[in-house]
């Protein structure tokens, strides 16, 4: 702030000292820095335009994705040119891959003062980003939080604070000015908070794709490289959406229209009795309201059936468990006087359904008069045009009228907002805000609604109108300012905590994973899994499902079946979409625990009850094939599941399951017949040459396998199986060539890749390498013990091989799911075949057929 004080004037800070003895030097330093900053920016911009004029034109079109000089008004073009210049200086890559600011430092660095050089060094790292405005200090500054990283910045800013509201999203560049931050000259676009999830999801996806292509890149690199994509998304997608009024629909998916239908009352006693007798209409209000009787229409009785009959099909999701009071969803209201009945609903479908109910219960007591429809856009319009005939009372002054009206407005607004706390809100699943805040998802939705309300009130305040203070409402709902700050990062925390639990489970730190899961459940008030539907960026419902499944699987691996079953039952109580799949997994664990016949009966019954559930059918088939060794039963299950498949991947999985079941049972003729039934008549490109390769190898026909493997379409599968075929043929050089990308040693911590490495080297008969590199004690996996046992068996050391095989089986009993025993031993037998082990060696390994 520039202060016009004389040296001997009292200092502005109120210390009582003369200005020269107090803040004069500090203010002079600040003025010098401001001038230095301004001059440096001008120098940098002039340099950019003077040296790289043609590149600037290209950068402008690149940033906006079009020629901005051919559209819009001149004032808008000037603003956009300022934004383009900022992008050009700090982000755009010149033909030599340098940014303008980097080129400027290289050519002009020696002419820069120490102050200027320090500023430029900071500016090089500035990048445009999406920021959430978490605090606004009018005329002073604001606090911003990076929408992706969560990093926060206190920004000195005066002009912008008069144009933004708390929780708005700002696409702008934050620049460090030595001891503080400022916004760059071209502030960028301000976006309402309701678009936050859409923006975040888009940018997260851009960042993920960029990081996949540039694994060593930083977030700053990404923003320098991709800010034009963010800008174009905002201009082309978000900005038009901001201009459109919100599309509001009912729970049935119909466009909301406020419809008032009026009926003449021909027989009042009969009409009143009819309304009271109908279970769909619930009387509200007391006896004192004798001139008017009010009724609420609820979704009970015939209501739901009539709603379905009077419009397109819709998915029904009750707001609460059936039978609870909250499940009585409100559909409209009715007001009865002795002369007329007024029905108020929010869609044509609801009006038609209500009229049919009234015809049934009131009959000739009423007669339809007419209806009035108000589109929701009319009620959302915020501009009120006063009649020119309206004049203030002559005895009141303008100031007195203003104060009185402001007080009245404040009172009315307070009453309306307090009433809202106890109204059923469609956006909250027809719960009241007081009810909604009791669960995690509802709490988030309430906070988001209040943030939208706050933005509207901020706009009113900036226009000099009376604005509502939401402090009382937040207190009534038990919400704190910290809750509002935490809301935007909440789904990140949930995602990270679920991911941590899953990672702990995958690392076999099962006790820690269980403790983390219990802490997660205590921390977050989840009544149902659907409470996580509030998430806008991450699919938290899927993340929870994956986490629970992995943790339950790890518990089963260590044969902690009781804990695994308890975890899955706890999850089922949250009413997830995949509850039947989880029920099947509970039964599977009980069967592994020893309850074979009872479990099989229950699993078969569940599969029959939900034949369309692909996961349940596949689990039953897996149990029949791998746990019970009943291949015929598994094939019947696969074939039954085919009748209900909807996705191509499901059909492919069933086909592969049937073929593999035949091959594993050594029923090669049936496998070949099945292959021909499924593939004959298809175009050659559509035929399953992967399956045919496995079939010909099972027959020992290497010549046909070599021809077939060439026709496998997926390269990664083709190269792997080419190596298999060539190694079985003894052509190890060709196998090594095919596997060139997989024979290098993996990182020490990537034990899963070591098993593939060991398999390939065993197939190449390079057993000494396997003995040297594979440490079964450290890996503590049955496969590792078997790999080394196979290597010693190949060398003829059957004593050591037998000892390692026994240890492998001990590990299987200690830390492997029983349903996987068969597949583990099958893999060992395949490698024994590849090594051409003798019957004695097979006997030592206890894998003889």
């Amino acid at each position: 702030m520039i202060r016009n004080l004389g040296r001997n004037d009292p200092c502005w800070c109120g210390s009582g000292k003369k200005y020269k003895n107090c803040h004069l030097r500090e203010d002079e330093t600040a003025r010098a820095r401001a001038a230095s900053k301004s001059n440096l920016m001008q120098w940098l911009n002039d340099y950019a335009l003077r040296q790289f004029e043609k590149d600037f034109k290209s950068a402008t079109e690149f940033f906006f994705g079009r020629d901005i000089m051919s559209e819009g008004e001149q004032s808008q073009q000037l603003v956009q040119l300022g934004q383009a210049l900022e992008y050009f200086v700090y982000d755009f890559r010149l033909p030599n891959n340098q940014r303008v600011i980097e080129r400027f430092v290289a050519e002009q660095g020696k002419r820069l003062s120490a102050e200027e050089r320090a500023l430029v060094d900071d500016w090089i790292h500035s990048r445009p980003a999406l920021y959430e405005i978490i605090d606004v200090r009018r005329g002073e500054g604001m606090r911003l939080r990076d929408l992706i990283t969560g990093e926060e910045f206190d920004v000195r800013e005066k002009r912008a604070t008069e144009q933004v509201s708390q929780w708005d999203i700002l696409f702008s560049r934050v620049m460090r000015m030595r001891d503080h931050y400022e916004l760059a000259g071209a502030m960028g676009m301000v976006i309402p908070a309701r678009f936050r999830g859409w923006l975040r999801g888009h940018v997260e996806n851009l960042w993920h794709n960029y990081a996949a292509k540039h694994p060593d890149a930083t977030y700053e690199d990404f923003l320098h490289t991709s800010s034009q994509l963010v800008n174009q998304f905002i201009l082309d997608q978000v900005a038009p959406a901001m201009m459109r009024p919100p599309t509001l629909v009912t729970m049935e998916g119909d466009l909301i229209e406020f419809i008032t239908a009026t009926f003449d009352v021909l027989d009042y006693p009969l009409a009143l009795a009819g309304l009271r007798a109908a279970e769909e209409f619930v009387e509200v209000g007391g006896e004192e309201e004798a001139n008017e009787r009010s009724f609420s229409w609820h979704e009970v009785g015939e209501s739901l059936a009539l709603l379905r009959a009077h419009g397109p099909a819709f998915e029904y999701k009750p707001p609460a468990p059936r039978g609870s009071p909250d499940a009585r969803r409100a559909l409209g209201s009715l007001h009865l006087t002795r002369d007329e009945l007024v029905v108020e609903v929010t869609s044509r479908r609801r009006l038609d359904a209500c009229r049919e109910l009234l015809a049934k219960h009131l009959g000739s007591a009423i007669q339809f008069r007419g209806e009035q429809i108000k589109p929701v856009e009319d009620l959302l319009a915020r501009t009120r045009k006063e009649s020119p005939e309206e004049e203030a009372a002559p005895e009141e002054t303008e100031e007195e009228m203003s104060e009185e009206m402001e007080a009245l407005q404040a009172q009315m607004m307070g009453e309306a907002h307090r009433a809202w706390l106890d109204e059923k809100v469609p956006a909250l699943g027809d719960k009241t805000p007081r009810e909604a805040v009791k669960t995690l998802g509802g709490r988030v939705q309430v906070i988001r609604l209040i943030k939208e309300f706050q933005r509207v009130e901020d706009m009113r305040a900036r226009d000099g109108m009376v604005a509502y203070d939401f402090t009382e409402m937040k207190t009534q709902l038990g919400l704190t300012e910290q809750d509002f700050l935490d809301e935007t990062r909440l789904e990140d925390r949930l995602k990270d905590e679920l991911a941590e639990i899953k990672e702990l489970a995958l690392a076999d730190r099962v006790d820690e994973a269980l403790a983390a899961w219990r802490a997660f459940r205590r921390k977050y008030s989840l009544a149902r899994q659907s409470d996580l539907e509030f998430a806008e960026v991450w699919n938290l419902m899927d993340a929870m499902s994956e986490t629970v499944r992995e943790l339950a699987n790890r518990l089963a691996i260590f044969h902690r079946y009781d804990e695994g079953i308890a975890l899955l039952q706890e999850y089922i109580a949250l009413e997830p979409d995949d509850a039947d799949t989880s029920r099947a997994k509970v039964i599977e664990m009980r069967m592994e625990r020893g309850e074979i016949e009872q479990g099989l009966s229950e699993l078969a019954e569940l599969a029959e009850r939900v034949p369309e559930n692909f996961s349940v059918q596949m689990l039953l088939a897996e149990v029949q094939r791998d746990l019970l060794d009943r291949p015929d039963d598994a094939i019947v299950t696969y074939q039954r599941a085919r009748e209900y498949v909807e996705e191509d991947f499901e059909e492919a999985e069933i086909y592969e399951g049937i073929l593999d079941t035949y091959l594993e049972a050594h029923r090669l003729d049936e496998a070949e017949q099945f292959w021909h039934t499924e593939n004959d008549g298809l175009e050659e490109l559509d035929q399953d040459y992967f399956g045919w390769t496995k079939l010909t190898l099972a027959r020992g026909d290497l010549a046909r396998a070599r021809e077939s493997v060439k026709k496998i379409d997926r390269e990664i599968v083709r190269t792997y199986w080419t190596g298999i075929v060539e190694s079985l043929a003894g052509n190890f050089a060709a196998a090594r060539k095919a596997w060139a990308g997989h024979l290098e040693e993996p990182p020490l911590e990537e034990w899963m890749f070591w098993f593939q490495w060991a398999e390939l080297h065993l197939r190449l008969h390079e057993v000494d390498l396997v003995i040297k590199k594979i440490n079964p004690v450290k890996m503590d996996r049955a496969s590792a013990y078997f790999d080394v046992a196979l290597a010693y068996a190949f060398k003829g050391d059957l004593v050591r091989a037998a000892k390692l095989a026994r240890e492998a089986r001990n590990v299987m009993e200690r830390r492997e799911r029983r349903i996987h025993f068969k597949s583990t031993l099958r893999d060992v037998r395949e490698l024994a075949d590849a090594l051409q082990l003798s019957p004695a060696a097979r006997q030592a390994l206890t894998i003889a057929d």
Side-chain angles (χ1 to χ4, degrees), residues 690 709-721:
F690 172 41
V709 78
K710 296 175 183 177
K711 299 178 182 179
I712 296 176
D713 56 350
R714 290 186 60 201
E715 182 181 4
I716 189 171
V717 178
R718 185 173 63 252
T719 55
Y720 172 78
W721 282 90

Side-chain angles (χ1 to χ4, degrees), residues 106-136:
E107 294 184 5
Q108 307 292 327
K110 293 181 179 180
R111 299 175 56 192
L112 297 173
S113 66
E115 177 72 19
E116 290 169 335
R117 183 57 188 256
L119 283 170
V120 170
D121 287 345
D122 283 337
W123 295 353
I124 282 178
H125 298 289
S126 72
R127 70 283 197 285
L130 287 165
Y131 297 99
E132 182 180 32
I133 302 172
I134 60 177
D135 188 34
V136 180

